[in-house]
Amino acid sequence: MAEAVGPFKGLHNKEYQGHKKKVHSVAWNCTGTKLASGSVDQTARVWHVESHGHGKAKDIELKGHSDSVDQLCWDPKHADLIATASGDKTVRLWDARSGKCTQQVELSGENINITFKPDGTHIAVGNRDDELTILDVRKFKPIHKRKFSYEVNEIAWDTTGEIFFLTTGNGTVEVLSYPSLKALHTLVAHTAGCYCIAIDPLGRYFAVGSADALVSLWDMSEMLCVRTFTKLEWPVRTVSFNHTGEYIASASEDLFIDISNVQTGRTVHQIPCRAAMNSVEWNPKCNLLAYAGDDKNKYQADEGVFRVIGFDSA
């Protein structure tokens, strides 16, 4: 276990329970005051999280999906609007204050990925059939659809909204211009499928997690790999940069979450966990990390919990 340094000396850990089955996705709103969780139990929940994760959290249940809520994301410009993608083929927009669904659209396949454009105007959705749909948020209607001939995993915009990324089962990252979706680059990133991608909040880098158990760090302006993180031994399922872009968290089926320094590549802390992790996400304002995985309780049933760990500032 790496020795805790800097902000990783004082830790406080809090568990949130509410879902009946395992949690697939956790995401913070733009102000860092609310955390959403999406679950196999067909619901999402919104939790009001105090700074440092202390205190009892009130939660609101978002009910309406008829299949697993595989991924969710918040409107980057509105602290109370959240979008969910489900295996029931629908994408829904919710008001996190009331828990009510305000918009809904049915797409052609089982949705597994969803992300907002940084200016909040568009939503990109990926499904199990490797089809990408772009939604206009105001009208909540598809404005573009594209089917790919290869496995598409996670999707992301850069911080400007002018570049769009797809991680693929071929071990490549496809870089497209936006809104034309014309191909700019095919980055040969890994020797196995690329599963996940995270964008540095300062716009300097993006990180890619792969089935080869590596996380690669790429320079956004040069589109070149500058280093790899090698601590995990299983396929990397989830990566996230902290709010300063100084640290990156990554997780897999290894029984720990690795936190490394982006500039040096060195591990600064490891968080032990009891199961494979599905989602890690740093708070956009402070060093709070939310994480959720395949936890089992003592009866070997899915527990439906996630955790938030806080780190005192250095």
Side-chain angles (χ1 to χ4, degrees), residues 11 33 37 54 67 82 85 136 157 184 187 213 220 268 295 298:
L11 304 181
T33 54
S37 52
H54 292 323
D67 204 339
I82 184 168
D136 177 297
W157 270 281
L184 294 175
L187 306 177
M220 187 73 79
V268 292
D295 266 7
K298 60 187 173 189

Side-chain angles (χ1 to χ4, degrees), residues 66-314:
S66 59
D67 204 339
S68 173
V69 178
D70 279 337
Q71 203 171 34
L72 38 75
C73 61
W74 292 86
D75 184 323
K77 298 294 184 187
H78 195 304
D80 287 302
L81 288 182
I82 184 168
T84 53
S86 169
D88 67 10
K89 300 188 179 180
T90 68
V91 173
R92 295 173 189 237
L93 197 63
W94 308 79
D95 186 317
R97 294 160 296 199
S98 64
K100 295 219 164 31
C101 176
T102 57
Q103 298 275 13
Q104 168 180 343
V105 64
E106 183 156 344
L107 302 180
S108 56
E110 295 177 36
N111 304 308
I112 51 173
N113 285 308
I114 188 164
T115 187
F116 260 97
K117 188 164 174 255
D119 66 3
T121 58
H122 294 165
I123 293 174
V125 186
N127 70 20
R128 287 193 194 283
D129 303 319
D130 307 312
E131 185 177 55
L132 174 72
T133 302
I134 307 291
L135 297 172
D136 177 297
V137 173
R138 210 164 41 84
K139 297 176 181 159
F140 222 67
K141 287 195 166 63
I143 52 172
H144 195 95
K145 282 192 179 190
R146 183 179 296 183
K147 180 107 161 63
F148 293 91
S149 57
Y150 44 78
E151 177 187 307
V152 173
N153 292 316
E154 207 156 47
I155 52 182
W157 270 281
D158 76 334
T159 52
T160 69
E162 293 170 8
I163 297 176
F164 192 78
F165 297 95
L166 311 165
T167 62
T168 81
N170 302 333
T172 63
V173 178
E174 300 297 328
V175 185
L176 313 177
S177 67
Y178 195 82
S180 69
L181 295 179
K182 288 199 175 90
L184 294 175
H185 310 279
T186 294
L187 306 177
V188 181
H190 289 269
T191 56
C194 295
Y195 285 167
C196 51
I197 185 166
I199 310 297
D200 160 29
L202 304 188
R204 303 163 302 172
Y205 303 112
F206 59 96
V208 178
S210 166
D212 64 11
L214 297 174
V215 175
S216 57
L217 182 76
W218 295 76
D219 181 290
M220 187 73 79
S221 57
E222 303 284 335
M223 292 290 161
L224 289 172
C225 181
V226 290
R227 71 183 49 84
T228 56
F229 303 88
T230 59
K231 283 291 185 274
L232 299 173
E233 293 181 6
W234 289 86
V236 183
R237 294 183 175 191
T238 175
V239 288
S240 177
F241 286 92
N242 82 326
H243 66 293
T244 61
E246 195 178 352
Y247 301 110
I248 187 164
S250 55
S252 63
E253 290 174 54
D254 290 274
L255 295 183
F256 63 89
I257 297 163
D258 182 70
I259 300 175
S260 287
N261 183 296
V262 168
Q263 296 303 333
T264 66
R266 290 199 190 105
T267 293
V268 292
H269 190 67
Q270 289 178 349
I271 302 166
C273 38
R274 299 185 304 217
M277 288 291 111
N278 298 319
S279 182
V280 297
E281 185 160 300
W282 288 99
N283 185 292
K285 303 292 184 189
C286 61
N287 280 329
L288 280 179
L289 181 73
Y291 55 100
D294 295 346
D295 266 7
K296 305 284 185 187
N297 65 19
K298 60 187 173 189
Y299 304 111
Q300 294 302 297
D302 287 332
E303 225 177 343
V305 303
F306 65 92
R307 293 173 179 80
V308 175
I309 190 163
F311 305 98
D312 293 333
S313 295

Side-chain angles (χ1 to χ4, degrees), residues 12-16 28 48-57 283 286 288 308-310:
H12 28 89
N13 205 332
K14 184 169 170 57
E15 187 174 281
Y16 293 83
W28 297 94
H48 195 281
V49 179
E50 301 294 326
S51 176
H52 285 320
H54 292 323
K56 178 142 176 53
N283 185 292
C286 61
L288 280 179
V308 175
I309 190 163

